[in-house]
Amino acid sequence: MANYTLRYLLKSDLYRQKGAVSFSLFCKSLFFNKGFKFVFWLRVAKHFDNKPLLRIFPKLMFSYYKRVYVSDINYRAEIGPGFAIYHVFCTTFGAKVKIGSNVTIVHGVTLAGKGGLFPVIEDNVYIGCGACILGGVTIGRNAVIGANAVVTKDIPHNAVVVGNPSKVISFNGADAAQQNIWKLG
């Protein structure tokens, strides 16, 4: 994964969640948006992790928000720019998970390793609430993982996956799903 600056990552995360970047929007999001606040402290904790004295406060803040939001996310995971996590509650993944750019995760998502292998989530993926992605699987670019799907096999690019066990129901991908999200109800 590329070596991004903290500033770039935070700006891309803010843009991903709000569609714009400004200092006032940053402050509002940091104080009033749970998802952005959580991602902010995750990024800051990772950034200062190898700086002995400076890492204490960010790690304490991140630990505090992990408890407040009942989440077990490891800040050492590789996460690309434009990360959006909504409704942080009950989401969990470890340090060896790799997440690409512009990934959206909602509440109750589990990304878990199995046999020493961990999931790789490629760019522009949407993961719905309650989804479980288990083992050394790769989720292809622009994929949509539906609510409560249990994924134990690799998912191709642009696939829409639902169910337990998961099944590919189309290859319309994340772009089409976001355009048609309100038609599903």
Side-chain angles (χ1 to χ4, degrees):
M1 187 168 284
N3 212 3
Y4 299 106
T5 66
L6 177 62
R7 183 182 179 131
Y8 175 78
L9 290 170
L10 293 174
K11 280 183 166 185
S12 66
D13 296 339
L14 181 62
Y15 185 81
R16 182 87 164 89
Q17 287 203 8
K18 298 296 182 180
V21 176
S22 71
F23 182 72
S24 65
L25 190 58
F26 171 78
C27 291
K28 286 178 190 174
S29 297
L30 189 58
F31 288 111
F32 301 113
N33 183 310
K34 292 180 221 115
F36 181 76
K37 184 185 316 185
F38 189 84
V39 171
F40 171 82
W41 287 112
L42 178 141
R43 298 278 196 199
V44 172
K46 181 169 177 126
H47 179 76
F48 289 108
D49 191 37
N50 56 1
K51 296 169 179 66
L53 291 176
L54 297 176
R55 72 178 172 190
I56 295 169
F57 182 70
K59 284 177 73 174
L60 283 173
M61 291 301 293
F62 181 68
S63 294
Y64 169 76
Y65 284 112
K66 275 178 63 170
R67 284 172 182 63
V68 167
Y69 298 138
V70 192
S71 185
D72 189 21
I73 294 175
N74 193 310
Y75 67 88
R76 290 185 177 113
E78 285 187 41
I79 302 172
F83 183 57
I85 185 166
Y86 299 101
H87 313 292
V88 180
F89 303 99
C90 301
T91 299
T92 180
F93 54 83
K96 295 184 180 180
V97 170
K98 292 183 171 114
I99 299 175
S101 301
N102 300 320
V103 171
T104 301
I105 295 178
V106 294
H107 72 281
V109 171
T110 301
L111 307 176
K114 183 178 177 186
L117 300 173
F118 292 84
V120 174
I121 313 299
E122 293 186 356
D123 300 340
N124 304 316
V125 172
Y126 175 88
I127 304 174
C129 59
C132 294
I133 301 173
L134 309 171
V137 300
T138 299
I139 308 300
R141 289 184 312 275
N142 301 316
V144 175
I145 309 300
N148 296 317
V150 177
V151 178
T152 58
K153 296 178 182 169
D154 290 348
I155 303 300
H157 304 307
N158 299 310
V160 177
V161 177
V162 298
N164 179 8
S166 61
K167 295 178 201 164
V168 175
I169 60 166
S170 79
F171 287 95
N172 290 335
D175 294 333
Q178 288 181 7
Q179 291 170 1
N180 296 321
I181 196 79
W182 299 113
K183 295 179 185 176
L184 297 175

